[in-house]
Amino acid sequence: PDGNLYTPFGAAGVDWAFQIFGGTPGDGGGLYSAGEVNLVNVTVSDNVGDGGFASAGNNTLAAALSTIANNSGNGLTAEAGGLGQGGVIAIGGSILAGNGGNDCNREDTAAFAISQDYNLIGDIAGGDGGLLVLQGNDQAGGGGVAAIDPLLGPLQDNGGPSFTRALGPASPAVDAGLNDPNCGLSVTPVNDQRGVARPQGAACDAGAFELQPSVGPLQALIAAAAPGGTVVVPDGTYTE
């Protein structure tokens, strides 16, 4: 297929999870844009083929605070075109990593790949050499340095209406964004794909999943107590 979501116009909204489990991949295994697709807090993972494909003719696919990972083809592809008429991909605050092809792929100089900052790109191959201009807060592996592992969990139910890939506590995507109400991207809603408010730590996390700080046993007892109640703490040593 040319995409589990195919759009000739309009936009894809928030809180989708795209996945195709088999078949012969077309141009976009998860998403195919022949118009305009805007992803906010979306996971595109485990597809056969590319995660997303922006077709020629200045058709666009934009991803903000989204996770595009573990697709068998490229993560995102901007199709080749003539005289500045290629596809357009734009990414901000997103994770592109662990895909079978290039994580961010611009087919030729007539296509466009735009960073809006705060991204984690596992391997810049396919978008380097001036094809994707990195911003000051982007993290990118490849291009002569080691690829970056975002330490993602499997695609599964982590709460919320659709499957996500959780961040490990040591993930370089944690606190990779900006600490402001819009994560530095001027997008809404700012909650993650599950509905968890951002930021949970010092700054917003990259990708569709915002890691919540672990709660120790003592804090859990306090949180569970009724207002004005007494907290009975078992004997032991607590470090929180």
Side-chain angles (χ1 to χ4, degrees):
D2 273 339
N4 191 19
L5 177 71
Y6 176 96
T7 174
F9 56 85
V14 178
D15 292 340
W16 288 81
F18 299 107
Q19 188 177 22
I20 292 176
F21 291 98
T24 301
D27 288 326
L31 298 141
Y32 182 96
S33 174
E36 177 182 351
V37 175
N38 295 302
L39 305 179
V40 182
N41 291 315
V42 172
T43 298
V44 184
S45 183
D46 293 32
N47 289 287
V48 176
D50 292 355
F53 188 93
S55 61
N58 287 326
N59 297 306
T60 63
L61 198 167
L65 299 171
S66 295
T67 300
I68 297 96
N70 202 42
N71 300 286
S72 71
N74 301 314
L76 295 179
T77 293
E79 187 180 27
L83 299 176
Q85 292 295 309
V88 180
I89 54 178
I91 51 175
S94 294
I95 297 172
L96 281 74
N99 296 287
N102 297 320
D103 288 324
C104 183
N105 188 58
R106 180 184 175 199
E107 289 190 340
D108 72 357
T109 56
F112 298 91
I114 302 165
S115 169
Q116 296 169 327
D117 216 351
Y118 306 107
N119 298 291
L120 189 157
I121 304 171
D123 190 338
I124 196 66
D128 57 359
L131 298 180
L132 173 63
V133 178
L134 298 175
Q135 302 302 309
N137 298 290
D138 285 328
Q139 302 178 67
V145 300
I148 298 175
D149 183 353
L151 301 178
L152 299 176
L155 184 66
Q156 63 182 16
D157 184 358
N158 293 303
S162 50
F163 281 12
T164 53
R165 302 194 65 169
L167 297 178
S171 171
V174 174
D175 296 342
L178 195 65
N179 185 2
D180 78 3
N182 294 311
C183 299
L185 298 171
S186 300
V187 296
T188 54
V190 75
N191 292 347
D192 81 351
Q193 185 173 324
R194 301 164 299 150
V196 173
R198 299 179 188 263
Q200 287 288 314
C204 295
D205 299 341
F209 184 98
E210 182 77 12
L211 181 67
Q212 296 170 284
S214 59
V215 177
L218 181 58
Q219 184 59 48
L221 287 172
I222 296 171
T230 299
V231 177
V232 178
V233 180
D235 294 339
T237 300
Y238 298 89
T239 303
E240 298 187 20

